[in-house]
């Protein structure tokens, strides 16, 4: 796709003012190729060093929301480019995920919109697309990572993201769900819901979801969900981001069991103050199957992995402080990790590099790329923030 990246021209709408006041259709119609043969060395594949997926994919991105039994799931999908027309980009508001009890404490004008790289309810592109599920972290919500969810969808994937209310932002602010459920049950309901939508004749996603396999990925606590989803028979690959395993958990036998024969790519920020890079390396060492670890210089807990450092022009934690909200210090530290430069890189610097590894891994595992593209350690030459990358098992 030629021209400037959609990501490069996105800006938080009115953020400055608010803070101041306080492969196209033909290719898509072709049948999916068979899964690639295993055992290919990502360092000797012909395109091992090509950072092919830092830019936007060939599809514009649509977005829709489905209601589950007690929560919502967001769905991003490849859109029919010709049908986008003058549809405005979708926007979300952080205030939508804050408990109503906080309304009297927040000035009415403080509600910064965040413009995403997706278009609400536009027609889907022709074809059947592999299914991925994103899981947000603690004090998060289903839209925390739209820069990456839309990036993955633009390369020909369905991306779903349910609200994990049990660890969500409202719960962190004192409003837990009425009936807590496990993250794997929530993820399972979300997967079933999108399958049902794909089986609904005439619906927006009619026939668009190839759910033979499901590819989970998640941020922080959502990385733990990703690891637990590896127990599903339709999951053989997972990508935890800014999530590790402590040596103590392994020694005590409380670490999440990781099945052999499954693939895990660990993505880590080297300056992460929440999920220390040493614990990510421990998770990598603990992985019994095929594995990779990618470390990003300047990466904290949130920058590059979420939208959170860009919301409101300075990040959600800075916005909370500016409005005088009574937010616990631990929660502010969680939300602010990665958002202050230096030592952290700006999120727009890291998003394309992280997005490359997500797309490259999913495309290879889904059989779209018959051989790995950009998954050899040579790729670090063109990705300046990738410091440590080990594709070896």
């Amino acid at each position: 796709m030629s021209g400037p990246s959609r990501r490069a021209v996105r800006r938080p709408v009115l953020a400055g003012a608010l803070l101041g006041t306080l492969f196209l259709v033909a290719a898509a119609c072709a049948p999916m190729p068979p899964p690639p043969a295993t055992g290919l060395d990502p360092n000797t594949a012909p395109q091992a060093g090509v950072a092919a997926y830092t830019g936007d994919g060939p599809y514009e991105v649509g977005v829709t929301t489905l209601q589950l039994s007690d929560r919502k799931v967001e769905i991003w999908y490849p859109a029919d480019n010709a049908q986008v027309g003058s549809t405005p980009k979708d926007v979300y508001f952080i205030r939508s995920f804050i408990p109503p009890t906080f309304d009297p404490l927040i000035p009415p004008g403080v509600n910064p919109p965040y413009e995403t790289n997706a278009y609400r309810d536009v027609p889907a592109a022709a074809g059947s697309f592999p299914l991925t599920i994103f899981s947000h972290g603690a004090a998060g919500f289903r839209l925390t990572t739209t820069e990456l969810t839309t990036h993955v969808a633009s390369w020909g994937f369905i991306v779903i993201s349910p609200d994990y209310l049990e660890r969500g932002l409202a719960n962190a602010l004192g409003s837990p769900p009425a009936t807590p459920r496990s993250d794997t049950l929530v993820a399972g309901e979300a997967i079933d819901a999108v399958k049902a939508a794909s089986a609904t004749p005439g619906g927006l996603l009619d026939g668009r979801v190839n759910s033979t396999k499901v590819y989970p990925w998640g941020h922080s606590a959502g990385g733990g969900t990703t690891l637990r989803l590896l127990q599903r028979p339709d999951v053989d690959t997972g990508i935890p981001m800014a999530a590790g395993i402590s040596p103590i958990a392994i020694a005590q036998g409380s670490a999440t069991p990781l099945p052999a024969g499954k693939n895990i790519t660990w993505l880590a920020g080297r300056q992460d103050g929440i999920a220390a890079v040493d614990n990510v390396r421990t998770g990598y060492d603990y992985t019994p199957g095929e594995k990779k670890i990618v470390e990003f210089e300047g990466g904290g807990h949130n920058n590059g992995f979420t939208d959170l450092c860009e919301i409101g022009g300075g990040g959600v934690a800075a916005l909370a402080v500016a409005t005088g909200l009574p937010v616990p210090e631990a929660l502010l530290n969680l939300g602010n990790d990665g958002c202050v430069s230096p030592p952290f890189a700006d999120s727009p610097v890291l998003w394309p590099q992280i997005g490359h590894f997500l797309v490259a891994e999913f495309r290879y595992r889904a059989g779209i790329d018959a051989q790995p593209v950009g998954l050899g350690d040579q790729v670090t030459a063109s990705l300046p923030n990738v410091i440590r990358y080990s594709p070896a098992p």
Side-chain angles (χ1 to χ4, degrees):
M1 192 170 189
S2 61
S5 164
R6 288 188 293 271
R7 180 182 296 109
V9 298
R10 188 208 54 75
R11 294 289 185 273
V13 181
L14 301 180
L18 284 166
L19 287 177
T21 62
L22 227 163
F23 11 15
L24 298 169
V25 172
C29 290
M32 289 290 296
T38 58
L40 288 173
D41 183 349
N43 281 315
T44 59
Q47 299 186 68
V50 180
Y53 305 121
T54 55
D56 298 321
Y59 297 99
E60 296 289 357
V61 177
V63 61
T64 194
T65 308
L66 293 183
Q67 179 66 50
L68 304 180
S69 58
D70 63 344
R71 64 196 70 204
K72 295 178 180 179
V73 57
E74 209 74 5
I75 304 173
W76 294 268
Y77 55 90
D80 182 342
N81 294 356
Q83 298 296 315
V84 170
S86 60
T87 306
K89 287 187 174 182
D90 196 49
V91 171
Y92 72 83
F93 298 85
I94 182 70
R95 194 159 173 167
S96 301
F97 299 93
I98 295 175
T101 53
F102 280 74
D103 282 346
L105 305 176
I106 306 174
V110 178
N111 193 21
Y114 193 86
E115 184 183 84
T116 77
N117 294 313
Y119 302 90
R120 173 89 27 199
D121 294 326
V122 296
S128 178
F129 304 100
L131 176 61
T132 81
I133 178 168
F134 172 76
S135 298
H136 68 73
F141 48 97
R142 67 183 187 276
L143 301 176
T144 54
T145 301
T146 65
E147 295 290 345
L148 294 179
T149 57
T150 57
H151 181 74
V152 171
S154 79
W155 282 100
F157 292 88
I158 305 292
V159 183
I160 65 175
S161 176
D163 273 317
Y164 295 93
L165 302 176
E166 295 74 13
R167 62 170 182 250
L169 180 57
N171 179 71
L173 294 174
S175 291
T179 306
R181 293 194 289 153
S182 75
D183 55 354
T184 53
L185 287 177
V186 171
E189 184 183 359
I191 291 168
D192 290 343
V194 76
K195 288 181 179 180
S198 183
T200 302
L204 180 63
L205 298 176
D206 180 9
R208 299 307 196 272
V209 183
N210 177 352
S211 57
T212 305
K213 292 289 183 71
V214 180
Y215 302 96
W217 52 300
H219 171 250
S220 192
T225 302
T226 296
L227 298 180
R228 287 183 283 277
L229 289 174
L230 289 168
Q231 301 293 336
R232 289 177 58 109
D234 56 356
V235 170
D236 60 19
T237 297
I239 305 181
M241 308 188 304
I245 299 178
S246 75
I248 295 175
I250 295 174
Q252 294 177 342
S254 60
T256 299
L258 301 181
K262 307 242 173 162
N263 317 296
I264 303 178
T265 295
W266 299 84
L267 304 184
R270 287 172 63 91
Q271 286 75 39
D272 192 330
I274 306 297
V277 67
D278 284 346
N279 285 347
V280 183
R281 294 172 183 172
T282 297
Y284 170 80
D285 292 338
Y286 176 68
T287 302
E290 187 177 346
K291 57 190 175 181
K292 304 181 186 70
I293 183 169
V294 186
E295 297 177 10
F296 298 90
E297 182 64 35
H301 197 62
N302 294 304
N303 60 321
F305 297 117
T306 74
D307 304 342
L308 297 178
C309 292
E310 301 298 312
I311 291 175
V316 290
L319 189 64
V321 170
T323 57
L325 286 178
V327 180
E329 183 177 357
L331 187 56
L332 287 175
N333 291 338
L334 174 65
N336 203 40
D337 193 281
C339 299
V340 180
S341 298
F344 303 110
D346 290 339
S347 292
V349 172
L350 294 181
W351 285 326
Q353 299 179 64
I354 294 170
H356 164 77
F357 286 102
L358 292 169
V359 172
E361 188 69 22
F362 291 148
R363 284 176 61 94
Y364 172 48
R365 300 302 172 184
I368 300 172
D369 291 339
Q371 297 189 37
V373 175
L375 291 177
D377 55 14
Q378 304 97 322
V379 79
T380 60
S382 53
L383 297 175
N385 291 80
V386 178
I387 301 302
R388 181 175 186 268
Y389 176 48
S390 177

